[in-house]
Amino acid sequence: MCGIVAYLGERAAAPVILNGLKRLEYRGYDSAGLAVLDRESIVVKKSKGKIASLEELIQDNYPGGNIGIGHTRWATHGRPSDANAHPHLDCEGYFAVAHNGIIENYLQLREWLIKKGHKFTSETDTEVIPHLLEHFYTGDLVATVQKALQHLEGSYSLVVLCKDHPEMIVAARKNSSLVIGLGRGENFVVSDVPAILEYTKNAIILDNGEIAVVRRDQVEVTNFAGEPVDKQPIEIQWDPIQAEKEGYEHFMLKEIHEQPKALKDTLYPRLEKKGTLFNLEGITISPEEVKKLEKIVIVGCGTAYHAGLVGKYVIEKLLRIPVEVDIASEFRYRNPILKENDLVIAISQSGETADTLAALNEAKSRGLRVLAITNVVGSSISRYADDLFYTWAGPEIAVASTKAYLTQLLALYIITIQFAQIRGTMSAEEAAELIEELKRLPELVQQIFAEEEKFKQLAEICSDASSVFFIGRGLDYPVALEGSLKLKEISYIHAEAYAAGELKHGTIALIEEGTPIIALVTQKEIMDKTLSNVKEVNARGARVIGVTLEGSEDVEKTVDQVIYLPVTSQILTPILTVVPLQLIAYYTAVSRGCDVDKPRNLAKSVTVE
Ligand code: AGP
């Protein structure tokens, strides 16, 4: 997630900004920059890479001036580069803007501004903002910002520095956090409180739809229409570490709770205003090539592999072409049978996993087209793939993947619905119906959090177990695999997932009195079959937690504890089913005193074979 730091007061702005940006490094970024109003002109310094590169760039000549803005960028549109780093300027260098979020209509705005003669110097969505300000500027900075905001769609928190106005910084917020730090004769605007804690604990939290005019000794807040909003300052209670996690005990819990936003950020910018085809910028495979597809091979590791297994069910059901899913480290050595009309989909949150990169190169060496689904713009996988689908989940800091997994599933749904319409296996009406359901998923995931206390109690059932089993059929089976991985990788409890129908072929020998089993029972057409498997393990004394859709009383009667999920389309249930499993794994690990965010022996990105 990008980081914003803005300052005005008595101090030199550049060192304060750099110091604040360092406090936001945990948010994940790939470039950094600052803009300071140094006497009559705005001086911009920015650099790809870490803040140290920026410091190196300005080490001998820190820009002067005591008002400025700074930014750490987590790339979404436009790979990490000096040019794409924020802050961005208009043509004349009148305005500098730093932004966090996604401007969904940036392409239209960019075209419109270019027609008006504006010259762009980056690939970013953000750069439309300073040019819009330049276009509307009347001398009244606040009114100009209000006018520009009316043309922006999407999520943003932003700060504006104007050459004509050394007395103020204007800030605005829609969906991405923004905090105003209140000092004595100085004020700050930051994405998160860690950036101000060493200067002040008094702050105003800006809410969605609010603009703040920040002066050295005064802050005025209005809504986007310019009507004053009364904001009560708060005193920040968090210490810096707590503040990095926005009050959550671990990044993993924070990222589980960020899933509704991650889904929204990944889906909404791809929805077209009219029709049911998505705007899949980055995916260039032609409709003719899509129609010629004979097979899809999905490769990935760990959680990404599990996402691919869900993809198999979805693609085969909606596209009616065969799908193979390979563990990437197996794919590259099994001399796979591939034909020219096959498509390889490589899934990788980090985009740096050695096994997945090697599998992608194997496919490329055979002349196949590769579509990559990744969460890191400019990552290695994004440079080697022919087609790119970025999940805009924001940086995933915890080793155990959660929000990235959910947006990988979403990516597969979106791509499948797109291809199914192109190949004619899905009508526009059917697509419209499914897309409406996709749009409900963020709110449905949010609803699941209401049961969090229950998941915490259910985790007690697993905490002392030596083994926990996850079972499911159909779409529930790959989710069972993901649930078992989550549990074992952070709580160190042995966990296994089985196709429910497979238990009786051997593994049921392990079930004994009190063995915890988490049974996923969301697929109506095979529910009875799964319930009969649950009865088999019940008969051996297992303690069964059932996860099912609201209204499935038969499940409740068969299991020891039931978790109900909000109802959605059967094919979309994996996005919901996994959430309780993530939370049960999380609370089990916490109860066992494990290092949840950095489990033993694991790395966030396995860049070795
Ligand atoms: C998931 O919780 C694990 N941390 C791990 O299995 C991970 O999914 C795997 O290493 C693949 O990583 P990638 O998505 O970055 O390629």
Side-chain angles (χ1 to χ4, degrees):
M1 218 72 78
C2 302
I4 288 173
V5 175
Y7 172 79
L8 72 170
E10 299 311 313
R11 307 171 206 248
V16 173
I17 290 168
L18 284 168
N19 192 34
L21 292 178
K22 286 176 187 168
R23 298 275 180 271
L24 299 180
E25 286 196 287
Y26 70 89
R27 294 166 64 90
Y29 69 103
D30 42 52
S31 57
L34 55 81
V36 176
L37 184 50
D38 189 352
R39 290 185 292 282
E40 293 306 306
S41 63
I42 293 179
V43 176
V44 178
K45 299 287 182 187
K46 49 190 190 176
S47 161
K48 178 182 174 185
K50 295 303 176 195
I51 292 169
S53 311
L54 179 61
E55 285 182 311
E56 211 175 295
L57 180 69
I58 60 176
Q59 61 183 349
D60 302 333
N61 57 332
Y62 267 58
N66 51 25
I67 175 172
I69 62 176
H71 186 266
T72 48
R73 177 177 184 245
W74 168 265
T76 55
H77 293 71
R79 64 187 56 226
S81 68
D82 295 357
N84 288 336
H86 301 202
H88 287 288
L89 297 175
D90 62 303
C91 303
E92 303 303 325
Y94 242 82
F95 304 94
V97 174
H99 157 240
N100 177 16
I102 293 175
I103 305 298
E104 294 170 6
N105 61 332
Y106 86 97
L107 283 174
Q108 300 91 313
L109 289 172
R110 187 183 174 106
E111 280 158 32
W112 180 69
L113 287 160
I114 288 170
K115 283 198 187 102
K116 298 272 183 197
H118 290 264
K119 300 275 179 282
F120 282 77
T121 58
S122 82
E123 305 160 305
T124 66
D125 54 331
T126 302
E127 196 186 351
V128 298
I129 304 171
H131 291 287
L132 270 179
L133 295 171
E134 179 183 20
H135 178 76
F136 290 122
Y137 190 50
T138 58
D140 178 335
L141 179 58
V142 180
T144 304
V145 171
Q146 283 169 344
K147 181 95 174 150
L149 294 181
Q150 290 163 14
H151 290 71
L152 299 182
E153 292 173 17
S155 64
Y156 47 81
S157 57
L158 57 90
V159 288
V160 177
L161 177 66
C162 176
K163 195 163 75 166
D164 280 359
H165 291 273
E167 79 286 3
M168 70 167 73
I169 285 170
V170 179
R173 177 197 166 164
K174 184 179 170 220
N175 293 344
S176 303
S177 65
L178 212 49
V179 177
I180 298 161
L182 305 172
R184 292 182 193 290
E186 61 181 9
N187 284 318
F188 308 75
V189 185
V190 296
S191 298
D192 260 350
V193 295
I196 56 171
L197 285 181
E198 66 186 274
Y199 303 104
T200 177
K201 289 205 164 204
N202 297 319
I204 288 172
I205 309 295
L206 216 49
D207 288 307
N208 280 347
E210 292 180 349
I211 293 179
V213 180
V214 182
R215 295 180 175 82
R216 287 168 176 73
D217 50 10
Q218 186 193 27
V219 177
E220 290 169 289
V221 178
T222 69
N223 60 21
F224 282 6
E227 294 147 356
V229 176
D230 179 28
K231 302 292 283 183
Q232 291 310 312
I234 62 162
E235 190 181 348
I236 299 156
Q237 304 302 328
W238 288 336
D239 65 40
I241 294 296
Q242 274 179 307
E244 285 187 6
K245 297 162 193 164
E246 288 175 15
Y248 288 102
E249 192 181 348
H250 297 101
F251 279 111
M252 183 176 175
L253 188 59
K254 175 170 174 270
E255 288 154 11
I256 288 171
H257 281 268
E258 285 176 339
Q259 292 183 123
K261 182 178 184 306
L263 290 171
K264 222 177 276 180
D265 286 353
T266 301
L267 173 65
Y268 278 69
R270 294 182 163 101
L271 294 172
E272 291 289 13
K273 288 244 176 302
K274 290 193 289 300
T276 53
L277 287 173
F278 294 96
N279 157 20
L280 296 187
E281 181 197 355
I283 293 188
T284 56
I285 185 171
S286 70
E288 293 66 36
E289 289 167 307
V290 170
K291 287 175 185 158
K292 285 197 295 195
L293 287 179
E294 290 171 18
K295 179 173 76 176
I296 289 179
V297 182
I298 302 176
V299 297
C301 301
T303 289
Y305 166 68
H306 295 153
L309 290 172
V310 171
K312 173 182 170 68
Y313 284 87
V314 173
I315 296 169
E316 289 188 344
K317 185 176 175 67
L318 299 183
L319 271 185
R320 301 311 298 153
I321 58 174
V323 177
E324 289 173 13
V325 188
D326 261 301
I327 291 172
S329 54
E330 290 297 303
F331 175 81
R332 54 187 299 208
Y333 294 117
R334 72 172 177 83
N335 191 14
I337 299 165
L338 301 167
K339 299 201 194 73
E340 64 170 326
N341 288 330
D342 294 350
L343 172 69
V344 172
I345 297 179
I347 305 175
S348 175
Q349 188 283 132
S350 63
E352 302 299 342
T353 299
D355 288 326
T356 310
L357 290 173
L360 179 150
N361 287 327
E362 173 69 16
K364 298 279 288 175
S365 69
R366 306 243 192 140
L368 264 80
R369 191 181 187 95
V370 176
L371 185 160
I373 297 173
T374 187
N375 194 40
V376 181
V377 173
S379 57
S380 300
I381 204 169
S382 73
R383 291 200 295 278
Y384 305 145
D386 303 294
D387 297 302
L388 264 184
F389 186 109
Y390 282 124
T391 52
W392 288 319
E396 193 174 64
I397 312 291
V399 165
S401 183
T402 51
K403 62 178 182 173
Y405 169 74
L406 229 55
T407 53
Q408 287 163 1
L409 296 187
L410 178 59
L412 289 163
Y413 286 122
I414 290 172
I415 293 164
T416 305
I417 294 169
Q418 189 87 338
F419 285 11
Q421 292 181 86
I422 293 170
R423 291 172 63 96
T425 56
M426 176 181 274
S427 68
E429 294 69 30
E430 289 164 330
E433 204 177 304
L434 207 46
I435 290 168
E436 281 313 305
E437 274 305 300
L438 288 180
K439 289 158 75 173
R440 292 183 60 233
L441 290 174
E443 150 216 335
L444 298 182
V445 170
Q446 189 64 40
Q447 281 175 25
I448 295 172
F449 297 142
E451 299 285 294
E452 188 158 349
E453 197 45 44
K454 177 175 182 177
F455 306 146
K456 194 171 179 178
Q457 285 150 21
L458 290 175
E460 294 306 319
I461 297 174
C462 303
S463 294
D464 302 326
S466 53
S467 281
V468 178
F469 293 88
F470 294 73
I471 62 173
R473 282 176 182 257
L475 269 173
D476 286 331
Y477 173 47
V479 181
L481 285 164
E482 175 55 16
S484 77
L485 175 63
K486 284 285 102 38
L487 182 66
K488 61 186 143 186
E489 71 172 327
I490 62 174
S491 72
Y492 315 147
I493 293 172
H494 170 254
E496 279 186 72
Y498 269 84
E502 182 62 9
L503 265 179
K504 55 187 175 295
H505 299 286
T507 300
I508 199 163
L510 298 180
I511 309 303
E512 50 196 17
E513 192 61 33
T515 303
I517 291 191
I518 298 180
L520 309 186
V521 199
T522 68
Q523 303 300 300
K524 281 202 175 2
E525 65 278 11
I526 45 178
M527 186 171 281
D528 293 345
K529 297 286 179 206
T530 308
L531 289 180
S532 64
N533 301 135
V534 171
K535 288 170 185 154
E536 286 161 11
V537 295
N538 270 338
R540 274 85 183 169
R543 185 146 183 212
V544 183
I545 299 170
V547 183
T548 187
L549 298 179
E550 274 154 12
S552 314
E553 277 84 15
D554 289 352
V555 177
E556 184 167 5
K557 289 179 200 142
T558 313
V559 299
D560 298 292
Q561 316 271 352
V562 70
I563 293 171
Y564 280 121
L565 299 171
V567 175
T568 183
S569 156
Q570 286 275 279
I571 201 164
L572 302 181
T573 56
I575 287 213
L576 304 182
T577 314
V578 75
V579 176
L581 309 187
Q582 294 168 340
L583 287 165
I584 288 172
Y586 171 78
Y587 284 110
T588 302
V590 169
S591 71
R592 289 166 64 92
C594 297
D595 183 352
V596 174
D597 287 335
K598 298 187 186 70
R600 67 187 182 198
N601 310 338
L602 296 180
K604 182 57 187 168
S605 178
V606 184
T607 54
V608 293
E609 290 188 32

